[in-house]
């Protein structure tokens, strides 16, 4: 019955799909801000969610309460984003990259790998 606020890191195709998917709120998750390094996306809004430059995360994280980070960045940026998120108060990370991220033991990480799921599906289909 409650809704958790989340920050979205990486507003490419997958990040935009998550912003456009209204079902997340139905399950208790509301994306309250997005962060990206692409100047073509920064300072725009998608479905009412403002996209901020990554470097503004620290200041915004103090003003806007959120305990969850959703990571849909390129693989090479996932660890850096996770480190930043944990340093500024994030308690759980929903990782959509195939990159394994390392965080302190008190941080919850849920890895959702589209690639891995696809490999399992194809393997099962071909057996």
């Amino acid at each position: 019955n409650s809704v958790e606020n989340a920050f979205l890191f990486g507003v490419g195709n997958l990040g935009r799909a998550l912003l456009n998917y209204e079902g997340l709120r139905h399950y208790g998750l509301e994306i309250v801000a997005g962060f990206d390094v692409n100047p073509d996306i920064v300072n725009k809004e998608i479905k009412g969610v403002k996209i901020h430059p990554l470097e503004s995360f620290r200041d915004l994280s103090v003003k806007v309460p959120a305990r969850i980070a959703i990571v849909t960045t390129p693989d090479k940026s996932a660890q850096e984003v996770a480190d930043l998120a944990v340093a500024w108060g994030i308690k759980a990370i929903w990782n959509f990259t195939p990159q394994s991220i390392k965080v302190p033991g008190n941080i919850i990480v849920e890895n959702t790998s589209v690639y891995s799921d696809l490999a399992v599906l194809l393997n099962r289909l071909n057996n």
Side-chain angles (χ1 to χ4, degrees):
N1 291 337
S2 65
V3 175
E4 280 285 342
N5 289 343
F7 293 130
L8 173 69
F9 293 88
V11 190
N13 291 332
L14 181 54
R16 286 178 197 211
L18 290 173
L19 285 171
N20 283 303
Y21 179 57
E22 296 179 12
L24 291 177
R25 192 166 205 308
H26 176 73
Y27 286 100
L29 185 71
E30 182 166 358
I31 299 172
V32 293
F35 298 91
D36 207 286
V37 296
N38 182 345
D40 294 334
I41 298 171
V42 169
N43 294 320
K44 296 208 162 105
E45 279 193 15
I46 299 172
K47 287 290 220 180
V49 176
K50 185 171 181 184
I51 312 307
H52 302 269
L54 184 59
E55 55 271 7
S56 71
F57 171 66
R58 181 185 74 162
D59 292 336
L60 192 63
S61 69
V62 173
K63 297 175 189 170
V64 178
R67 298 188 305 168
I68 299 172
I70 303 169
V71 180
T72 61
T73 64
D75 302 353
K76 66 181 191 279
S77 303
Q79 185 63 57
E80 177 185 349
V81 164
D83 292 344
L84 178 70
V86 170
W88 292 102
I90 290 297
K91 301 298 182 198
I93 298 173
W94 192 7
N95 179 24
F96 280 85
T97 75
Q99 180 68 38
S100 177
I101 57 175
K102 294 175 181 28
V103 295
N106 64 324
I107 304 299
I108 301 163
V109 176
E110 182 63 36
N111 294 300
T112 300
S113 175
V114 174
Y115 307 112
S116 161
D117 293 345
L118 176 60
V120 169
L121 176 75
L122 293 174
N123 187 31
R124 291 177 64 193
L125 183 65
N126 292 320
N127 284 332

